[in-house]
Amino acid sequence: MTPIIQISNLDKYFGRLHVLKSVSASIAPREVVCLIGRSGSGKSTLLRCINFLEEPSFGTIEVDGIKVEAGEKGKGHRQLVHNVRLKTGMVFQEFNLFPHMSVLENVIEGPVTVKGMPKAQAIELAEQNLDNVGLLFKKDEYPNRLSGGQKQRVAIARALTMEPRVMLFDEPTSALDPELIGEVLNVMKKVAREGMTMLVVTHEMGFAREVADRVLVMAEGEIIEDEKPSLLFTQPKDARTKALIDRYRTGER
């Protein structure tokens, strides 16, 4: 099966700091892949390079047939990056909702302004996605009237309304109170069951074990393990992976 995401020999420098070191990975359509690792291992940077929120230093990224070489300049490169972003939905640690817009206005903003979707069509699609995340009844509320979990569910609905081929989640529960984490993870599980390709940076080991098809472990800017969760969590090959899993079991980060 042709990968929907192909990352080849990707490097990222911030000044002299070498954050990603010749990273290569592929993700198949409908696959759910979790990225785990200690803070500073390069997980979020890798995710942000896929849709060029961070410009990679070297290497190539291909998303749904659109191949982009790192370090290129000019109009053609910008158009390729734009095309990749149209294929990728992104959910951040923080919710990034516009406070002056209602829930519905937040969700339709991207499709209308970026994709040029007719407003009536965007509203219909937005209401379907808000219903899917259990928040259609909040469509006329403003973000300051929502809990953190509700804000993140709106952010997921907003990303889905762009009709992406791939969903990227950057530690989507890390800013939430413990009692709100479950409602967001349940929505993510539903999105996965519906066949969305997902790449998830997470500290939620239970989610990775239950939902992921594969788990990638990062350390010092490199992928050190790529395995099914049933094997990774019981028979880690790398001592750093074993130490990471042990830390999570004892509640450390």
Side-chain angles (χ1 to χ4, degrees):
M1 182 181 295
T2 302
I4 193 168
I5 298 176
Q6 183 70 56
I7 303 163
S8 302
N9 302 314
L10 202 72
D11 282 81
K12 175 62 181 177
Y13 289 85
F14 289 105
R16 298 176 65 183
L17 184 63
H18 198 181
V19 179
L20 297 178
K21 303 171 183 176
S22 195
V23 172
S24 295
S26 61
I27 298 173
R30 303 173 68 90
E31 195 172 27
V32 178
V33 176
C34 284
L35 265 171
I36 67 172
R38 298 199 71 176
S39 295
S41 60
K43 308 181 303 295
S44 292
T45 299
L46 177 58
L47 203 72
R48 292 171 66 86
C49 281
I50 291 171
N51 66 354
F52 290 83
L53 290 176
E54 295 289 353
E55 182 75 35
S57 304
F58 303 101
T60 60
I61 292 171
E62 186 171 346
V63 178
D64 197 26
I66 301 171
K67 188 174 183 178
V68 187
E69 297 281 348
E72 297 288 334
K73 304 291 184 184
K75 186 176 180 180
H77 178 73
R78 291 193 298 271
Q79 184 61 52
L80 287 174
V81 169
H82 175 74
N83 293 344
V84 164
R85 288 175 176 164
L86 289 177
K87 303 271 190 178
T88 54
M90 184 89 175
V91 178
F92 301 89
Q93 296 177 34
E94 301 295 337
F95 323 115
N96 295 339
L97 300 179
F98 294 112
H100 63 288
M101 292 182 176
S102 70
V103 164
L104 184 63
E105 289 168 338
N106 266 281
V107 176
I108 69 170
E109 177 69 12
V112 171
T113 61
V114 178
K115 296 182 71 174
M117 185 181 293
K119 188 173 181 180
Q121 181 184 345
I123 289 173
E124 181 180 358
L125 190 57
E127 289 181 343
Q128 289 174 7
N129 284 312
L130 285 169
D131 193 33
N132 285 339
V133 302
L135 288 174
L136 181 57
F137 72 106
K138 293 285 190 179
K139 69 177 185 177
D140 296 321
E141 295 280 9
Y142 285 81
N144 66 353
R145 299 287 301 273
L146 304 178
S147 70
Q150 289 172 334
K151 290 176 184 177
Q152 195 61 295
R153 285 152 63 194
V154 170
I156 293 172
R158 176 181 59 185
L160 289 171
T161 302
M162 289 292 288
E163 300 180 297
R165 298 277 286 132
V166 172
M167 284 284 285
L168 308 175
F169 294 85
D170 187 8
E171 298 190 34
T173 61
S174 64
L176 300 178
D177 294 332
E179 65 271 17
L180 301 177
I181 290 173
E183 67 182 70
V184 173
L185 292 179
N186 285 336
V187 168
M188 292 172 64
K189 291 174 187 177
K190 182 178 180 182
V191 173
R193 286 195 301 269
E194 292 171 352
M196 176 62 70
T197 305
M198 294 168 55
L199 183 56
V200 185
V201 173
T202 186
H203 290 296
E204 300 296 332
M205 296 297 108
F207 176 86
R209 185 190 292 263
E210 178 185 350
V211 180
D213 297 298
R214 286 188 293 137
V215 178
L216 308 183
V217 185
M218 293 196 69
E220 299 175 354
E222 299 177 309
I223 295 174
I224 60 170
E225 293 213 44
D226 177 351
E227 191 55 87
K228 293 181 179 180
S230 58
L231 287 175
L232 184 89
F233 288 106
T234 57
Q235 303 172 44
K237 297 183 179 73
D238 193 290
R240 290 168 292 180
T241 303
K242 184 178 185 304
L244 177 72
I245 293 170
D246 289 344
R247 274 194 296 273
Y248 282 119
R249 284 174 178 156
T250 58
E252 297 180 44
R253 289 292 185 269

